Amino acid sequence: MKNFDVLIIGAGASGFACALQALKRHKKVAILDHNASPLKKVKISGGGKCNFTNLNAKPENYVCAIKNFTTFALKTFPPQIIVALLKRHGIKFSEKEKGQLFAQSSQEIIDVLMEETQKAQFFFNCTIEKIEKQDTSFKIHTSDEIFSAKSLVIACGGMSYQNIGASDFGYVQAKNFGHKIIPYRPALVPFNLDNELMKKTIKLKGIALDCLISTGERSFRGNVLFTHFGISGPSVLQSSLYWEKNQPINLNFLPEFDLLNFLKEQRDVAKKKKLSNILRQFFPESFVGFLVEDKDVFISEAANKTLQKIAEMVHNFKTIPIGTQGFKLAEVTCGGVDTTEIDNQTFESKKVKGLFFVGEVLDVTGQLGGYNLQWAWSSGFCAGENV
């Protein structure tokens, strides 16, 4: 039997953050993972450049059944701490937009975390067969070894990125220890559109348009990308975090412009211009074809009803997605371990002493743009302070 102070299941960002802080407190730490290498999500984050935090991270950037559950952790370990760590290691990074920080390479982040946790013991390709608590210790039975520790940290993430090993393992273990699971679903994920609409939008495949997309009371501005299954792009992914099944979404492709009035004015001053040519000032050819049935009609010939229909399609394009692309393309999992049963300062279970949950396995989901990795650092750090 291998004995440790802390056993961490999951060699991802939250697991490493927990290990790093526990090691600073001179704890004997082991990290177990079924993958062959660590930090696989970090590796592919930001297209290989790792959007490792967002300087604007606040509780309102997160979805959680318990309002302000994230407040303490984000204040205790704000973005500036991970920034300072990387600076100490000479890692260069840049701010793209809205506080999003990217490294030059994800591998640089991985190298820093591996160096900072070199005193931990890693067990990769580790198949866990059973976890139990005996008296004050947890025992993990694997196909090769039995591990024992007084503190057990579940840091194995959610269901997103199943192609790199994601599973429901963390939720299963939480249930085994008597925890509730908030129903989970894919989030930060593209939408699927119905077949009838797809027959029209398939001609738009590959084009991206600036758009204000709204769902419920939430609106996000950014590119919408038309795909072979529906729509994707930053604003779509953001909306998916708040979208509920059978809920309509609204797309405004010219949010700061009154197209109807402009077209009516053009009808008076540009009578010999074709309606399609006027619309090409704003949109690519394929989208103009989507808006206008007769490309040869002159603006002077266009009835008010025609112009109103075009303006409505541009400013108030409503549809109800038939679903999403699911966990295969989702960047995160929304839902998870019920936070009413977790201490928001220590991340220890309120039901089982010595059991901790951090990162994506919890019912905490950040918006697109570095918020989820920041949550991994913050929650992992707080647990590392208390294991």
Side-chain angles (χ1 to χ4, degrees):
M1 183 183 296
K2 294 183 179 293
N3 296 308
F4 295 88
D5 297 317
V6 184
L7 292 171
I8 299 172
I9 299 177
S14 61
F16 267 78
C18 179
L20 193 154
Q21 194 59 21
L23 290 167
K24 287 182 179 179
R25 297 174 52 235
H26 308 292
K27 299 291 183 177
K28 187 179 180 183
V29 177
I31 301 179
L32 287 64
D33 199 292
H34 67 286
N35 283 314
S37 59
L39 298 160
K40 283 186 169 284
K41 276 192 183 180
V42 170
K43 181 76 172 177
I44 62 177
S45 167
K49 293 191 174 182
C50 192
N51 180 194
F52 62 89
T53 190
N54 193 303
L55 295 174
N56 302 317
K58 297 180 180 65
E60 51 263 39
N61 299 119
Y62 296 86
V63 172
C64 177
I66 302 302
K67 187 178 179 180
N68 295 328
F69 177 83
T70 61
T71 300
F72 180 86
L74 292 173
K75 284 184 177 180
T76 303
F77 191 99
Q80 289 73 19
I81 295 182
I82 188 68
V83 168
L85 172 64
L86 297 182
K87 281 184 176 180
R88 287 201 301 273
H89 285 265
I91 303 301
K92 295 181 180 179
F93 53 86
S94 58
E95 182 176 353
K96 287 201 172 179
E97 59 176 325
K98 300 176 182 177
Q100 299 176 37
L101 298 189
F102 288 78
Q104 292 183 332
S105 166
S106 297
Q107 189 59 48
E108 292 181 335
I109 307 286
I110 293 172
D111 291 343
V112 168
L113 293 173
M114 290 299 292
E115 183 177 342
E116 288 283 333
T117 56
Q118 57 185 301
K119 290 183 179 180
Q121 292 188 43
F122 294 88
F123 298 89
F124 296 114
N125 295 312
C126 185
T127 302
I128 296 174
E129 297 177 342
K130 184 173 68 171
I131 301 176
E132 58 184 346
K133 187 174 185 184
Q134 295 179 351
D135 299 324
T136 59
S137 295
F138 293 90
K139 286 185 171 54
I140 297 180
H141 299 256
T142 73
S143 53
D144 300 315
E145 302 275 359
I146 297 177
F147 298 85
S148 177
K150 287 189 175 181
S151 294
L152 172 63
V153 183
I154 304 295
C156 46
M159 296 286 287
S160 57
Y161 291 107
Q162 293 177 355
N163 60 320
I164 57 173
S167 73
D168 63 352
F169 182 86
Y171 308 132
V172 171
Q173 299 311 316
K175 285 181 180 178
N176 289 344
F177 282 108
H179 277 273
K180 298 176 187 174
I181 304 297
I182 302 296
Y184 51 86
R185 60 179 176 85
L188 303 186
V189 62
F191 286 131
N192 293 334
L193 301 181
D194 67 71
N195 290 336
E196 285 303 308
L197 183 55
M198 282 302 302
K199 289 177 182 178
K200 300 175 183 178
T201 61
I202 194 65
K203 296 177 182 178
L204 305 178
K205 178 184 172 183
I207 73 165
L209 298 175
D210 181 41
C211 180
L212 181 70
I213 182 169
S214 304
T215 178
E217 298 180 354
R218 293 276 183 167
S219 296
F220 295 97
R221 180 80 176 265
N223 279 348
V224 166
L225 173 68
F226 289 89
T227 71
H228 66 283
F229 54 75
I231 51 175
S232 187
S235 59
V236 173
L237 301 190
Q238 293 280 36
S239 295
S240 73
L241 180 56
Y242 300 93
W243 179 74
E244 297 178 4
K245 190 175 181 181
N246 298 322
Q247 184 180 39
I249 60 172
N250 183 81
L251 289 81
N252 185 344
F253 296 103
L254 282 177
E256 296 170 353
F257 191 80
D258 189 334
L259 182 63
L260 180 58
N261 279 341
F262 175 77
L263 292 177
K264 287 181 177 179
E265 290 171 359
Q266 291 297 300
R267 191 168 52 186
D268 295 329
V269 301
K271 296 180 180 180
K272 293 185 178 181
K273 279 190 177 182
K274 291 180 179 179
L275 174 58
S276 57
N277 287 339
I278 292 174
L279 290 171
R280 286 191 189 97
Q281 298 176 52
F282 307 99
F283 305 113
E285 179 69 31
S286 56
F287 195 71
V288 171
F290 176 70
L291 295 173
V292 182
E293 294 178 7
D294 184 358
K295 291 186 179 181
D296 293 324
V297 67
F298 289 97
I299 183 68
S300 59
E301 301 170 343
N304 281 340
K305 186 177 180 180
T306 299
L307 300 186
Q308 287 170 354
K309 181 181 177 182
I310 292 171
E312 185 73 7
M313 291 175 70
V314 168
H315 290 302
N316 193 30
F317 187 87
K318 287 185 178 179
T319 185
I320 299 176
I322 59 173
T324 71
Q325 279 287 290
F327 287 114
K328 66 180 179 180
L329 287 186
E331 297 201 9
V332 289
T333 304
C334 190
V337 177
D338 189 344
T339 52
T340 62
E341 301 174 341
I342 305 297
D343 187 296
N344 73 327
Q345 297 187 16
T346 66
F347 289 81
E348 186 174 17
S349 163
K350 295 178 181 179
K351 302 173 78 72
V352 182
K353 185 172 177 57
L355 178 63
F356 297 78
F357 293 91
V358 296
E360 190 180 347
V361 74
L362 289 165
D363 173 36
V364 176
T365 313
Q367 296 173 352
L368 188 71
Y371 296 106
N372 287 290
L373 269 179
Q374 180 56 47
W375 175 246
W377 312 132
S378 296
S379 59
F381 173 89
C382 289
E385 279 275 87
N386 293 279
V387 289

